[in-house]
Amino acid sequence: MIDVPKRLAFLLNKNTAAVLTAFAFWGFMAYQTEDEERTWSIYKADSHSTSYARLNQINTSNVTQLQPAWTFSMQDMKTGARPGRSECNPIVVDGVMYATSARHWVYAVNAASGEQIWSFDPFDGAEGGGVSRGVTYWEEGNDRRILVTGGDQLFALDARTGKPITSFGKNGRVSMNVGMRDDPETISVIPTSPGIVYKDLLIMGAEVSELYGAQPGYIRAYHCKTGRLVWTFHTIPLPGEPGYESWPKDAYKYAGGANDWAGMSLDPERGLVFLALGSPSYDFYGADRIGKNLYGNSVVALDAATGQYRWHFQTVHHDLWDYDLPAPPNLVTVERDGKRVDAVAQVTKHGFIFVFDRETGQPLFPIEERPVPASTIPGEQAWPTQPFPLKPKPFARQYMSKQDLTHYTDAGHDSIVKKYRSMRYEGLFTPPDLKGTLMLPGSRGGAEWGGAAYDPASSVLFVKSNDSPEIQSMVKVDPEQETRNMSVFQQGKALYMTYCVACHGKDKNGDEPTYPSLIGLKNRMTREAALDKIKKGGGKMPAFASVIKGKEKGIIAFLYEREQQKSDAVTKFETGKTKAGADRYLNLTAYGHFRDPDGNPALRPPWGTLSAVNLTTGDYVWQIPLGNDEKRQEKGAPETGQEGSAGPIVTSGGLVFISGTNDRKLRAFDKTTGKLIWATTLPAVANATPCTYSVRGKQYVAISVGGTDKNPSGSIMAFALPR
């Protein structure tokens, strides 16, 4: 039972307007057991990253009665700001919900009523922001903490008050830049997904740049009480470490990436933490990193107490497609020869599910190394084979033909057919080429950071997938030569046309909602805030600190339309570490879409699906389109499906809940059949994975919802059955 007197003692020390609300709430909570209160106390439900809840009050027979229970509106963004896109998966501990906003503020909310208990601004009033998918909770006796990052800082907050715990690090914070390869004063390492707790350790991954000069994605464990760095695992191995031989001799000095940006999973009983690592940088050209590049694109098992290597499996060798492992591995249990086997299931961007024995790393379904096409770009050496699991079959489309192209208008169809025929395309692992290459599922395809949900009762894995073809357009660049003798404004324009145009467009109009318009930026964001955003990145935007070094004035001049004189030219252009004398190629259309001239998708629908896969047999139970673009849906045709990054959750009530598509729907499906049972339209896109929890015997489903023009900060909405 809850220790009510201790909770009341902390309230008596608060003199805020929330005292009476909180007082009543904790009295209300005194009747609930700890087990009920902690159904969703960890990101993605539990340390196994199952996104599963054993709650069944809301079930297939009554989910149609769901109605809004409460809405908590954040108010941390200025009026007129661009609406935020929250990716937070809230957690609930002892009846208190802890969540982050689109601006990265932290909130504690009464999980039964939606009333605020406290808030914390990690940026001390500065612009701040950036992607945050949630927080981590840790406790020891009466010491209860929220561990969360803001920018490149790791904070420990008192879970009762939201105040920084001054004994942690330096006045409650630890710089994530310290302990990386390079000078902490010149880099910025910004985690986007919460860490995971093993005993008194917080194990953290990080978001790093995906360009040349990126930091390596070291995995680090911090002491939850002191903030002391306890261990580090080098994802780009140092001399003498396993995997060092898979890189050029000095690559550890300059290569970057291979980072865990999407989160990780933990087996507390075995003391193992499981990583899902991203690609090495630069994403699309690897002449300075010839080799397999361990541990890029690998599932890695480490001893959680020491960081010692246990096993790994690399899902893509020498990645040239940005096929990061996009989500935490699901820790599952399947049957083999009549025995239950603890396993690890990893979904991927290119549409595969890899399943391994949890202790040994041995595949539970056969995996073949198959020959793939060679690269023709000077200096590049694509790896000659790639791994293909024989089961389960891919959950995303991995090939498209001319017959798969859309036909909205004759002119539009002719345009995409011409483009299709002009590119090099030999299937899934066609390497980047100077004539242009088609990618499918694409770097935003397959599974995304929302990952999969696992139902232990049926051994079924539920995964959202995108089919989002894109074009790789590789060009050789010499930034210093190209910007020499230009004005500051012209240098900024050259930077923009090289690094930014693929996402934000030549006219800066963007591609909403994923890539915002930059028109009128001066009316929404200060120059200082914009420069900070460019340097540190956020969302799908990588950090450009090394790229713009020495050219800060130029990019700001161009974005804020301030023409300069040619005499203002800057002659030095630094772009970060790379192999001495190595050529550089850039993919100028990275993360874009293959579309016709009118903006219609080039690939026939469905563009997004939800799949149910039995991991014991490797067979599909069902697969359906998820989301609908009514404007492009043909009469009488199935729903189109839509792209989305959020993941599903599954409950013992027989339901799968998911949102994240641009039609703004939160949906509930029958987990056995895939039949849609309930849906509601939200005020904005909920680009976040839901959670479900119980307070005093009442089950709720809650989700972070993006901002609107009226309230750009966004909200959290909770749904429940009528009394």
Side-chain angles (χ1 to χ4, degrees), residues 604-615:
R604 291 186 181 276
W607 302 306
T609 58
L610 181 63
S611 300
V613 187
N614 187 311
L615 293 184

Side-chain angles (χ1 to χ4, degrees), residues 151-199:
D152 53 19
Q153 301 292 305
L154 170 64
F155 296 87
L157 309 178
D158 187 315
R160 298 172 175 89
T161 66
K163 302 297 183 183
I165 297 174
T166 56
S167 59
F168 181 87
K170 185 176 181 180
N171 296 321
R173 67 174 71 193
V174 170
S175 171
M176 297 293 292
N177 299 335
V178 175
M180 297 299 286
R181 178 183 60 203
D182 296 332
D183 182 356
E185 297 299 321
T186 63
I187 64 175
S188 187
V189 176
I190 304 176
T192 52
S193 298
I196 201 160
V197 165
Y198 176 69
K199 296 184 178 180

Side-chain angles (χ1 to χ4, degrees), residues 212-223:
Y212 297 102
Q215 288 298 293
Y218 293 166
I219 308 301
R220 292 168 295 171
Y222 297 87
H223 197 282

Side-chain angles (χ1 to χ4, degrees), residues 650-674:
V650 60
T651 75
S652 65
L655 297 168
V656 174
F657 290 93
I658 188 169
S659 189
T661 49
N662 286 338
D663 57 12
R664 300 187 288 124
K665 300 285 189 181
L666 172 62
R667 295 173 167 90
F669 297 91
D670 185 313
K671 71 179 183 183
T672 303
T673 64

